[in-house]
Amino acid sequence: GGFRIDIMASKIELARSIVRSGRRVCVLTGAGISTDSGVPDYRSPGRPQVKSILYNQFVGHHRHRQRYWARSMFGYDFMSQAEPNDGHHIVTQAQQTNSIASILTQNVDGLHQKAGSDGVVELHGSIHEVVCLDCGHVTPRNALQVELKALNPDFIDAVQEQQSGGRSALLGALRPDGDSVVKVDYSNFIYPECGVCAGMLKPHVVFFGESLPRPRSDLTTELAGESDVMVVAGTSLAVWSAFRLVRMAEKNGCEIIVVTRGPTRADELVKPELRFRCESTPAHALSLCSSIALSHRPSPSILAIDAVDTDRKGPMWDWS
C-alpha cells in the first residue's frame, strides 16, 4: 500500500524519448535520495520543521559553536556509517554507462561517492571535511571526531543517558546536515582550534546565510547550462542554489522532467505531461527517473530526488 504513480505509459515514453534526443545528462540530487540510507530530509510529511544554524551565528558566538560541535559530534558517527542505497547505485551505474555527463548534489553526506560515482559536484560542500576559516586548511571530519570525543568524555555520557531510546532515538534526533537534537548542557563543551594556525574550524559545508563559493557556483551554472533535458526527481527546490539551475536551464530551452512526491518551486516551469508524482521510497522515485536516463546514451538531464514514503521495498519495475 501507499504506492501510487499518477502517470501513464505514454508519459513515461514521452520522457524517455526526450532524454534520448538530448546531448548531455546532468544529474542533480537532493536530500530525499538519502532517506533510504537512514539520513532524514527536511520537508517530507511528518518531519518537524527545524531551524539550522546560521553562518553569522556560528562565526559570531562561542556558545553557538559549542552547541553546533556538541550536537554534530553526536550525529556524525551515524552519518559516517550510512551506506548508499539503490538510488545512489543507479546514478553510479548511469554514469558508468555514459548515460550522464555530470552529477550535482545538494547533499553533504558523500553517499554518491561512496556508491562509486566520480566527479560529484557538492553544491553545499561535504560534512566529511572541516575547513579553517583563517588559513583555509582542510582536514578530515573523522579526525576531528576523535579529538572531540577525547576532549568531552563527560558530554558523551550525558547524551547517552538522555537518549534512552537507543538507535531509534538517535535517528529521530538526526538532521540531514549531521546535526542532532540533544538536550544537554553545552556550556562546558570543548572544541579544538586549527592545528596549523589556531584559527576557527568550521564544517566544510555551506550554512544557511552563507554564499556558495564562486568557483562552485560558476561550475554548476556551466554544467546546468550545457543541459538540454533536466529531470527533477524528489526535491522541492526550496533552496535558491538548486532552483536557479532549473530556472536557468528552462530559459535556455531545456526540457524539464519532474519526479517528486509533492509540489516543487519549479512546477510552473514544467509541462504537465512531464510531471511525475510518486509515493514510494526515495530509491524508487530515483529508479523511475534513472530508468529514463539509463535508456539513453550520453545526453543531458538533471535529476533531483525528494523525500517520499518508506513503506515499500524492492524494485519499482523493469523498464529495460
Side-chain angles (χ1 to χ4, degrees), residues 44-198:
S44 65
R47 285 287 300 170
Q49 289 191 342
V50 297
K51 290 184 178 180
S52 297
I53 190 169
L54 301 177
Y55 176 77
N56 287 340
Q57 291 177 325
F58 184 89
V59 300
H61 302 280
H62 167 65
R63 289 274 301 177
H64 282 298
R65 290 192 293 278
Q66 283 183 306
R67 179 179 181 271
Y68 176 84
W69 285 121
R71 291 158 59 114
S72 177
M73 184 186 74
F74 184 57
Y76 183 72
D77 279 343
F78 178 81
M79 291 288 287
S80 65
Q81 294 166 14
E83 292 295 331
N85 60 56
D86 289 347
H88 301 104
H89 290 300
I90 288 171
V91 171
T92 297
Q93 292 165 9
Q95 184 183 53
Q96 292 174 346
T97 56
N98 295 320
S99 295
I100 57 179
S102 56
I103 301 169
L104 314 181
T105 185
Q106 299 175 73
N107 301 337
V108 300
D109 54 36
L111 291 177
H112 280 301
Q113 295 92 320
K114 211 168 184 179
S117 293
D118 295 322
V120 179
V121 180
E122 296 171 305
L123 273 74
H124 302 143
S126 173
I127 198 65
H128 302 296
E129 294 179 343
V130 178
V131 63
C132 175
L133 296 181
D134 293 293
C135 71
H137 185 63
V138 177
T139 54
R141 175 65 177 81
N142 55 11
L144 180 66
Q145 185 75 352
V146 173
E147 193 169 0
L148 288 171
K149 289 182 176 181
L151 291 170
N152 300 278
D154 293 340
F155 179 83
I156 295 174
D157 293 339
V159 169
Q160 289 176 342
E161 290 178 7
Q162 289 287 332
Q163 297 295 335
S164 58
R167 182 177 176 84
S168 61
L170 169 60
L171 294 181
L174 191 67
R175 294 180 177 177
D177 57 1
D179 187 13
S180 187
V181 180
V182 289
K183 298 179 180 180
V184 293
D185 182 10
Y186 311 112
S187 60
N188 294 319
F189 191 85
I190 302 170
Y191 56 86
E193 299 173 332
C194 174
V196 175
C197 74

Side-chain angles (χ1 to χ4, degrees), residues 239-260:
V239 178
W240 170 252
S241 57
F243 172 67
R244 71 176 183 89
L245 301 177
V246 179
R247 191 177 72 164
M248 179 192 64
E250 191 271 339
K251 287 184 177 180
N252 289 345
C254 176
E255 290 277 16
I256 301 173
I257 301 169
V258 172
V259 183
T260 64

